[in-house]
């Protein structure tokens, strides 16, 4: 599954590798990788691979799941499609509560004690994902875990998830993606090593040398 999903992400450039011309994050950090999993929705073949993989992962890893909850905004569509495949309820968690109406942060019906799985598109430092999990816990849900499409595998993110008691299962990850990228000539072996060096310490720009 990891390689199949990685192939789809590379093909549609949902994950784009550019070690020669790095991207600049909002923090100012230079990155050789850019991820936009929203592009999956625009490609029927990639969408079929990813959404079926999400549904299969929920069934395999979290068989007690009663509902799926998407992260806003990137996880919403993926949660909706996977929930339709599984025949389960779905909702989503806003980044902040609405300032009008019922001031909801959680959209969709959430019964007290409901066993839910969060659907996330990308895990980097995991801050936004954990924030969603905590909002659901505060609302009385039992969060079984998270299914994400892709993870960089950054230490900061892994440590945060562990500290928060959150189990994340990613469909694919940077290591698997880089193996496919070298095999299919998206990047060289030297570029793969540089990207891994970035992942292990994003603030150290020596990978660019």
């Amino acid at each position: 599954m990891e390689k199949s999903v990685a192939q789809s992400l590379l093909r549609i450039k949902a994950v784009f590798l550019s070690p020669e011309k790095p991207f600049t994050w909002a923090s100012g950090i230079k990155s050789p990788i850019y991820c936009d999993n929203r592009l999956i929705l625009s490609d029927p073949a990639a969408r079929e691979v990813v959404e079926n993989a999400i549904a299969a992962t929920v069934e395999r890893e979290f068989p007690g799941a009663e509902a799926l909850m998407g992260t806003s905004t990137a996880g919403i569509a993926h949660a909706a499609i996977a929930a339709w495949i599984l025949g389960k309820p779905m909702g989503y968690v806003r980044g902040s509560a609405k300032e009008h109406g019922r001031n909801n942060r959680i959209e969709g019906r959430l019964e007290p004690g409901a066993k839910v799985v969060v659907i996330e598109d990308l895990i980097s430092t995991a801050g936004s994902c954990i924030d969603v999990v905590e909002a659901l816990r505060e609302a009385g849900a039992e969060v079984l875990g998270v299914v994400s499409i892709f993870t960089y595998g950054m230490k900061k993110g892994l440590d945060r998830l562990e500290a928060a008691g959150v189990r994340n299962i990613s469909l694919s990850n940077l290591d698997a993606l880089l193996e496919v990228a070298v095999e299919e000539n998206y990047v060289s072996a030297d570029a793969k090593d540089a990207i891994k060096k970035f992942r292990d310490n994003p603030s150290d720009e020596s990978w660019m040398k």
Side-chain angles (χ1 to χ4, degrees):
M1 180 185 72
E2 289 180 351
K3 282 199 166 185
S4 176
V5 171
Q7 286 170 332
S8 293
L9 297 180
L10 285 166
R11 178 180 62 80
I12 66 174
K13 297 185 178 179
V15 177
F16 191 82
L17 304 174
S18 181
E20 298 83 8
K21 295 181 179 180
F23 305 96
T24 302
W25 288 356
S27 62
I29 289 175
K30 302 291 185 182
S31 170
I33 183 169
Y34 179 76
C35 184
D36 181 6
N37 286 329
R38 293 173 181 83
L39 293 175
I40 294 166
L41 302 171
S42 301
D43 188 285
R47 190 175 65 225
E48 182 174 7
V49 168
V50 169
E51 310 306 347
N52 282 318
I54 292 173
T57 301
V58 171
E59 284 190 312
R60 183 183 69 248
E61 302 291 340
F62 307 105
E66 296 170 343
L68 304 187
M69 299 298 293
T71 58
S72 180
T73 59
I76 296 174
H78 299 295
I81 297 170
W84 180 80
I85 293 170
L86 294 169
K88 294 186 182 295
M90 171 268 175
Y92 66 93
V93 181
R94 292 176 174 271
S96 59
K98 287 195 299 187
E99 296 181 358
H100 58 279
R102 297 177 64 190
N103 304 115
N104 291 344
R105 183 173 182 196
I106 298 172
E107 300 289 5
R109 188 180 301 279
L110 181 66
E111 301 292 346
K115 297 179 179 180
V116 305
V117 173
V118 173
I119 306 300
E120 174 68 287
D121 76 318
L122 172 67
I123 300 286
S124 53
T125 59
S128 60
C129 175
I130 291 171
D131 182 56
V132 165
V133 170
E134 290 175 346
L136 288 165
R137 286 172 173 169
E138 289 173 6
E142 180 183 347
V143 181
L144 302 182
V146 177
V147 174
S148 56
I149 297 172
F150 186 73
T151 181
Y152 294 135
M154 291 179 174
K155 186 177 185 302
K156 184 175 182 179
L158 296 173
D159 289 346
R160 278 181 164 181
L161 289 167
E162 182 178 5
V166 177
R167 181 180 178 222
N168 169 63
I169 305 295
S170 292
L171 304 186
S172 193
N173 55 70
L174 186 59
D175 291 304
L177 183 130
L178 288 174
E179 291 299 321
V180 172
V182 172
E183 291 170 6
E184 300 189 2
N185 298 313
Y186 286 94
V187 295
S188 66
D190 287 343
K192 179 187 79 170
D193 293 340
I195 294 168
K196 281 189 174 183
K197 188 174 182 180
F198 160 80
R199 185 268 310 280
D200 294 339
N201 188 0
S203 61
D204 179 3
E205 295 187 353
S206 64
W207 66 268
M208 290 190 286
K209 303 174 184 179

